[in-house]
Each structure stands twice: as C-alpha cells, then as structure tokens.
Amino acid sequence: MNRTSILLLAVLVLGAGAWLILRKDATENSLADKGESRQFGYADVDRIDRIFIADRKGNRVDLTRGGVSGWLADGVPANENIMLGILQVIEGLDVQSLPSYKAIPVILEDLATSGTLIQLFDADNNKLRGYYLGGTTADETGTYAIKEGVEDPYVVHLPGFTGNVRQRVVHVGDEWRDKIYWRVDPEKVESFSIEYPKLRNKSFVLTKNGDRFQLKPFYASNQQTRNVPRGGVEGILTRYEKYYVNAYENLDEKSITAARDALPHAVIRVKEEGKPEQTMVIYPRYGANEFTNNPKTGAIVNRGGLKAYSAFINDGADWALLNVETIQPLMIGYDYF
C-alpha cells in the first residue's frame, strides 16, 4: 500500500469516527426530546403552586394554593374533592400508546377544536408543564393528548382509571367551589340559635356562659331561660363540624325570587370566637304535579311532598341545595334541651 492510499484510508477512518460521534449525539438529543414530549405526569405535586385550565368554549379557571380547602378557584375556596381528582391526574398521567399514523390528523383536529389546556406553575410563576387533553379513544380507555410546543400527539391514561381523564379536570362556574359551608369548632362557639318563624315555640338561643350555655327562647314567651350542660350543646355542634351543601343553584332565578318573598322554615346562626357570624336561611322544597295511581283503589294521587331544602348562605350571596337527610339532624328545637 502506497503513501497516498494510507492517507486516504486514515481520512476515511477519521471521518467515519466523527460521523458516528455526531450521529450518536444527534440520536441522544432526539431521544431526549422524544422523552420530554412523552412526559405528562408531574410527580412533585407539592411544587405546584398554580394550575391554569381553559377549554375552547371560553371556560377557564385559575387554581392557586390557599384557603380553607387548600386551594382557591379564582380567589374563592375550591372544591376539595375536585382538587383531589385533578392532582391525581396531574401526578399520574402517563402515555398509554402511540396513535397510528392515519389517526394523527384526526387527533390533531380534535385537540385543536375541543382540547383543554392544562398548565402548571411553581410559586415563582415558572411554567413546569403544559399540555392539551382531547377526546377519548374508541374503547374509552385512553385520552388524546399533546404537549405544548410538540408536534406528536399521544394516547394517555391514568393507571387504575377507565375513561376520559379530561372529565376530572373540566368543570364550569360554581362547580369549582368548595361545598363545605359549616366548619364549626364546637369549643369555640360563643352563640348558636335557630329561629323557626312558623314554629316559634321551637326557636331558641344558646349563649356560652362559663363552662355552660344559657338557653332561652328566641321569641318572648313563658318558656324558661336556663343553663344547660356544655357537653350536651357541643354534642349538637359536632354535627356542624363539616357540613356540605349539595349544590349551588345561583342561576335558578325563579326559585330565588320566590324565596325572597316567602317566610323561611328556619334561620340558623352560629358565632365562633374571632369569626363573623354565619347564617343559613332555609326553605323547604316540595314536589309538584307528581301523580301516581293508588294501588288499591286506582285513584290518581298527587305525590308532591318534601323533596329537599334550599338555603341562602354566605350572607345571602349564594343559593344552595340541601339534602333532607343531612340538614334535618341539624335543625333541633328548644324542647331538645
């Protein structure tokens, strides 16, 4: 082999080595980029300070840490159960499969027209993650998703959950709000009263008096004013430690207007040390025009009866639906003591 051939061989070897090194670096970078594009779940949920969610219909919410439930939805206490579901999705969301080449255009169109944006931020407002969730797969076990700034969509899922995970993060209006109204600490209650405008002899006022409570009628009557044991009162107040309303119905203007012109069934007032008094103004809801046949006579019977309760809460700013089974144990009378 002459000198020229040896030099040419050396150049080829060195060139091949350089090409392999460059190709290895490019491959590693490509794999790293692909790995990042597949990372949807964010394990360090304690680092997340803000969650922004928006859909194509104009619904959006800013979730920030704080408040009695641990999170605020646009500045008001957020529903703790909804937040639990969202954090489970954020932490555990994982790629289930890669969509077929033919399916990608359809998936991209779905994400572009009906995708829901989720963005995560830390306490310094640095974006930690952002992605879109779309529709579900034909077998309803996966959800279409794509990371912000990435071209390739994926099918993602939450291990242990079947269905569209977007259902856990998409809510509207008052659905985001905390449903716990009473969060009473029985030991800190200074006064507690229930007024029954139509049943005056059942109405009462309890006021803390040393290690006891003083009981007196709400309206002037011949009923006695007397002291009652603190333990008995606190036993009732434990029912107020964590009370959920069933739903907010602030858009039901018809029933709100009717209630404002009607006499309430009960008005509950609770005053805790260092806190403003909380009030719940309660109205019964009856079924109407629900007819059935008497099984014995065949006669038509109106089944309209007590179906639920509604109440003004938060100083009258909110109109809430209450379950009969949960609110009735709270509505005791003077004769209970």
Side-chain angles (χ1 to χ4, degrees):
M1 182 179 293
N2 58 31
R3 180 178 177 84
T4 301
S5 297
I6 292 174
L7 290 173
L8 180 60
L9 180 61
V11 169
L12 289 174
V13 170
L14 291 172
W19 180 81
L20 287 172
I21 292 172
L22 291 173
R23 180 172 176 80
K24 180 176 183 294
D25 289 342
T27 302
E28 287 180 348
N29 290 333
S30 175
L31 289 174
D33 291 342
K34 183 66 71 176
E36 174 63 25
S37 72
R38 295 183 184 184
Q39 293 177 17
F40 287 88
Y42 195 84
D44 190 8
V45 292
D46 290 338
R47 187 182 174 193
I48 300 170
D49 190 71
R50 174 178 168 237
I51 304 169
F52 176 74
I53 301 175
D55 65 19
R56 302 294 188 183
K57 297 179 181 179
N59 299 307
R60 57 180 57 201
V61 66
D62 246 320
L63 303 168
T64 53
R65 289 196 183 269
V68 293
S69 65
W71 286 87
L72 299 171
D74 291 331
V76 299
N79 186 305
E80 59 182 0
N81 292 325
I82 286 178
M83 289 308 305
L84 178 62
I86 290 175
L87 292 174
Q88 287 175 345
V89 171
I90 287 173
E91 182 178 14
L93 196 64
D94 197 12
V95 171
Q96 183 188 65
S97 62
L98 303 179
S100 66
Y101 179 77
K102 293 182 178 180
I104 288 178
V106 177
I107 295 173
L108 291 176
E109 182 180 0
D110 170 76
L111 289 164
T113 57
S114 61
T116 296
L117 172 65
I118 300 174
Q119 294 177 325
L120 314 178
F121 300 86
D122 65 15
D124 296 321
N125 208 34
N126 298 310
K127 187 189 293 186
L128 304 174
R129 190 142 299 170
Y131 50 85
Y132 290 87
L133 293 177
T136 186
T137 57
D139 60 4
E140 298 185 350
T141 63
T143 301
Y144 302 132
I146 191 169
K147 293 280 293 288
E148 282 188 299
V150 174
E151 297 180 355
D152 299 325
Y154 295 91
V155 176
V156 299
H157 73 138
L158 181 65
F161 174 78
T162 301
N164 192 335
V165 295
R166 189 172 63 171
Q167 295 175 352
R168 288 199 176 190
V169 300
V170 175
H171 301 277
V172 178
D174 285 338
E175 293 177 4
W176 285 108
R177 296 180 56 189
D178 179 28
K179 288 186 177 181
I180 301 177
Y181 183 62
W182 300 110
R183 279 188 174 89
V184 171
D185 182 347
E187 294 186 0
K188 295 183 178 181
V189 172
E190 295 178 335
S191 64
F192 167 50
S193 70
I194 304 182
E195 175 189 2
Y196 297 98
K198 298 180 182 179
L199 299 168
R200 293 194 166 198
N201 65 334
K202 289 178 62 68
S203 306
F204 66 89
V205 179
L206 281 163
T207 307
K208 183 180 284 188
N209 184 16
D211 61 351
R212 295 189 175 189
F213 277 83
Q214 183 188 71
L215 171 69
K216 65 179 181 179
F218 190 92
Y219 296 98
S221 71
N222 58 2
Q223 292 171 304
Q224 294 181 347
T225 295
R226 55 190 173 86
N227 288 329
V228 296
R230 179 173 176 173
V233 176
E234 290 184 349
I236 293 299
L237 293 174
T238 57
R239 303 176 188 179
Y240 288 78
E241 285 182 312
K242 201 171 189 180
Y243 178 80
Y244 291 80
V245 302
N246 190 50
Y248 291 96
E249 297 190 328
N250 290 319
L251 299 180
D252 188 359
E253 295 182 3
K254 182 178 179 180
S255 65
I256 292 173
T257 300
R260 293 196 187 280
D261 294 332
L263 202 61
H265 171 67
V267 181
I268 302 175
R269 299 177 176 90
V270 179
K271 174 68 174 70
E272 292 183 79
E273 179 184 343
K275 295 182 180 180
E277 182 179 78
Q278 278 187 284
T279 303
M280 177 180 280
V281 185
I282 303 171
Y283 300 80
R285 295 177 60 160
Y286 297 99
N289 299 324
E290 296 183 11
F291 297 98
T292 187
N293 292 95
N294 186 306
K296 293 183 179 180
T297 66
I300 296 177
V301 179
N302 188 335
R303 297 179 57 195
L306 181 64
K307 299 298 181 183
Y309 288 92
S310 292
F312 288 115
I313 59 175
N314 296 321
D315 296 325
D318 291 306
W319 181 239
L321 176 66
L322 315 177
N323 285 328
V324 172
E325 296 80 8
T326 59
I327 191 60
Q328 283 188 337
L330 274 62
M331 294 191 293
I332 59 171
Y334 174 94
D335 55 358
Y336 179 88
F337 303 98

